[in-house]
Amino acid sequence: MFSRDRWKEILEVLSSNTLRTLATAFGVGWGIFILIILLAAGKGLENGIRLNFNGVATNTMFLWTQPTTLAFEGLPENRRFNYKLEDVDLLRQNIPELRIISPRNSLRNSVGDNVIRGTESGNYRVFGDYPEIIEQRPIYVSKGRFFNHNDISERRKVVVIGDGIRKDLFRADEAVLGSYIVVSGVNFMVIGTYKEKTSNGGGENSEREIYMPFTSFSQAYNRADNVGWMALTAEDGTSISTLTEAIINTVKQSRKIHPNDKRAIGYFDLFEEYNRVESLFGALRFVAYFVGILVLLSGIIGVSNIMLIVIKERTKEIGIRRALGEDPWSIKLQILMESIFLTIISGMVGIIFGALVIFGVNTLLDVVGPVDMFLNPSVSLGVVLSALAILIISGLLAGFIPANKAIKVRPIEALRTE
């Protein structure tokens, strides 16, 4: 199988008509190239979308209130209501599968600046939260610390500000930690700064938010025990989607909402949305493989057709070899090896060019910066090995029919062929 004469013959056959061999090889190489590029592009899109979920507790839902649409227990329809801190305790008692329940309040953006620090000012979003919110938001403390439950219980007027706010209100050489800022007329001490958990280091627009203890927020802005909305995260191994009905029924009963009122409780299921994105990734991979293999198949058909032509041109040679007593399997093996060799070489060229294009795209992204929803297009080693397996199988399929045709040639008829 690995004799020098056999390989010399394979090279002579393939080089006897260079233009025809190159045209045939292009079809296979182009198919593998398209497959690699499509898979890399899909991976780049997947990486970009996953970046938006980086650091987010995806097994989470957000719950807020909306005007009621049905009267209930003497209360009118179109009634506005708020959640209360007692609803948080009720959810913890009734639904033990919830790992984190974060009640939240916020200040609505005013027309003018709502945060002042010395001569600098700005308009920023302000949230009253519990310490667990840092497990549900894609942020991390870059300097100082996040507030804790001691800050909650003692209602300390402390805040954690985004790195974007630090750049807006402080000079580069100024100390941030321990300084004071005025938030809607109330003084708060800065105990920490945060950044987003993004691989590209961006996100300054989102880094322009302020977090403070929920109790301090409620006391400073007269919110009592009202809760604006809640972020709820289920335990690992439990889908938040399976708890949605129980959660909604619990708060409906607590807030005296009609059981058939479908509009009063607003919610967003992040886990369900994340699963849809995961399904999209699977669909993209399927399309990439489907289209790439179809293109590759057209190249394989070309290889098979060329091998049939080669068999026809070598009919007399095959007849002589058969007449001299060469084993039919030896002739069949010769044809299969020629087909596999041509397929693998052309396919490897396609893989190399695909790798060069992917390298070029990544280099360009490093120069121009990150692109929304697209990051680090690449293919794994498993994809390359799969491509090689496809090439070997394709080569066998491309040579199978011509090889069978070759061994069916009767020596006496082959010798008569002109």
Side-chain angles (χ1 to χ4, degrees):
M1 179 176 179
F2 299 99
S3 67
R4 182 176 180 180
D5 291 338
R6 187 181 294 278
W7 283 105
K8 183 178 179 180
E9 183 178 352
I10 290 174
L11 294 175
E12 287 177 353
V13 170
L14 295 179
S15 61
S16 61
N17 194 324
T18 306
L19 183 61
R20 183 176 66 190
T21 301
L22 291 177
T24 305
F26 176 80
V28 177
W30 180 251
I32 286 293
F33 174 80
I34 292 297
L35 177 61
I36 295 296
I37 294 301
L38 286 175
L39 289 173
K43 187 64 176 178
L45 181 61
E46 180 178 342
N47 291 338
I49 295 176
R50 285 188 186 278
L51 184 64
N52 292 331
F53 289 97
N54 187 24
V56 178
T58 54
N59 198 14
T60 297
M61 70 177 295
F62 302 95
L63 208 66
W64 63 89
T65 65
Q66 299 177 152
T68 61
T69 59
L70 296 173
F72 186 62
E73 293 187 359
L75 298 172
E77 63 177 312
N78 203 32
R79 173 173 59 94
R80 294 184 178 276
F81 65 99
N82 290 309
Y83 297 127
K84 303 289 184 178
L85 283 175
E86 63 187 58
D87 297 325
V88 177
D89 295 332
L90 194 62
L91 286 170
R92 287 197 178 102
Q93 294 171 10
N94 291 355
I95 309 175
E97 295 87 356
L98 291 174
R99 182 170 65 90
I100 303 174
I101 305 176
S102 295
R104 308 193 71 190
N105 277 321
S106 66
L107 288 178
R108 296 180 179 178
N109 288 342
S110 57
V111 176
D113 293 342
N114 62 344
V115 178
I116 301 173
R117 195 265 167 180
T119 59
E120 303 294 336
S121 63
N123 191 318
Y124 307 107
R125 299 180 67 187
V126 183
F127 297 96
D129 281 302
Y130 275 76
E132 290 79 10
I133 193 65
I134 199 170
E135 298 183 48
Q136 298 170 299
R137 294 280 295 141
I139 60 174
Y140 67 95
V141 175
S142 54
K143 290 183 179 179
R145 67 176 179 88
F146 206 71
F147 53 83
N148 53 42
H149 281 279
N150 286 333
D151 299 318
I152 292 286
S153 60
E154 297 181 16
R155 293 180 171 83
R156 293 172 182 165
K157 290 184 170 62
V158 294
V159 293
V160 178
I161 64 174
D163 202 53
I165 297 178
R166 177 190 63 79
K167 294 177 181 178
D168 291 343
L169 303 183
F170 295 84
R171 296 194 308 269
D173 58 346
E174 282 188 294
V176 178
L177 303 182
S179 64
Y180 285 83
I181 60 175
V182 180
V183 182
S184 294
V186 182
N187 281 299
F188 288 86
M189 184 175 71
V190 179
I191 60 171
T193 62
Y194 75 84
K195 288 187 177 183
E196 277 197 330
K197 293 178 180 178
T198 54
S199 61
N200 54 25
E204 281 194 14
N205 288 331
S206 296
E207 288 170 2
R208 287 179 166 82
E209 296 175 347
I210 297 175
Y211 295 87
M212 64 177 64
F214 184 91
T215 51
S216 305
F217 184 101
S218 298
Q219 184 179 57
Y221 305 113
N222 300 316
R223 296 298 177 88
D225 63 342
N226 290 325
V227 175
W229 76 98
M230 291 181 272
L232 304 96
T233 301
E235 293 282 359
D236 294 341
T238 301
S239 166
I240 191 69
S241 301
T242 63
L243 305 177
T244 300
E245 185 176 356
I247 292 169
I248 291 177
N249 289 339
T250 299
V251 294
K252 275 185 177 181
Q253 184 177 3
S254 174
R255 294 298 103 209
K256 296 184 178 180
I257 307 298
H258 196 289
N260 296 329
D261 194 333
K262 305 297 183 183
R263 297 287 300 277
I265 306 298
Y267 69 94
F268 175 74
D269 190 339
L270 183 60
F271 183 73
E272 183 178 355
E273 195 69 21
Y274 184 75
N275 282 340
R276 289 176 182 172
V277 173
E278 287 287 341
S279 299
L280 173 63
F281 296 154
L284 287 175
R285 285 190 289 269
F286 174 78
V287 170
Y289 274 110
F290 183 75
V291 174
I293 290 175
L294 282 182
V295 176
L296 179 62
L297 183 61
S298 65
I300 297 303
I301 292 174
V303 173
S304 184
N305 288 334
I306 291 301
M307 295 307 298
L308 286 172
I309 294 173
V310 170
I311 295 300
K312 185 174 181 62
E313 293 175 347
R314 298 167 63 191
T315 301
K316 191 169 185 177
E317 173 198 333
I318 293 172
I320 294 173
R321 292 168 64 175
R322 291 290 306 278
L324 293 176
E326 185 171 357
D327 184 42
W329 169 247
S330 177
I331 297 175
K332 187 175 183 177
L333 180 62
Q334 178 75 24
I335 304 301
L336 289 174
M337 288 180 64
E338 290 174 8
S339 176
I340 293 174
F341 180 75
L342 176 60
T343 304
I344 291 180
I345 293 299
S346 54
M348 289 302 298
V349 171
I351 291 175
I352 291 171
F353 274 100
L356 290 175
V357 170
I358 294 171
F359 176 78
V361 170
N362 278 296
T363 302
L364 181 62
L365 289 176
D366 290 338
V367 173
V368 303
V371 177
D372 288 341
M373 308 298 284
F374 194 78
L375 175 71
N376 188 29
S378 60
V379 291
S380 64
L381 178 61
V383 171
V384 176
L385 294 177
S386 297
L388 289 175
I390 290 173
L391 288 175
I392 294 173
I393 295 172
S394 299
L396 287 172
L397 292 176
F400 186 75
I401 295 176
N404 281 339
K405 184 177 178 63
I407 63 174
K408 289 180 180 179
V409 175
R410 297 178 62 183
I412 189 64
E413 293 178 357
L415 293 172
R416 292 173 180 170
T417 302
E418 296 294 335

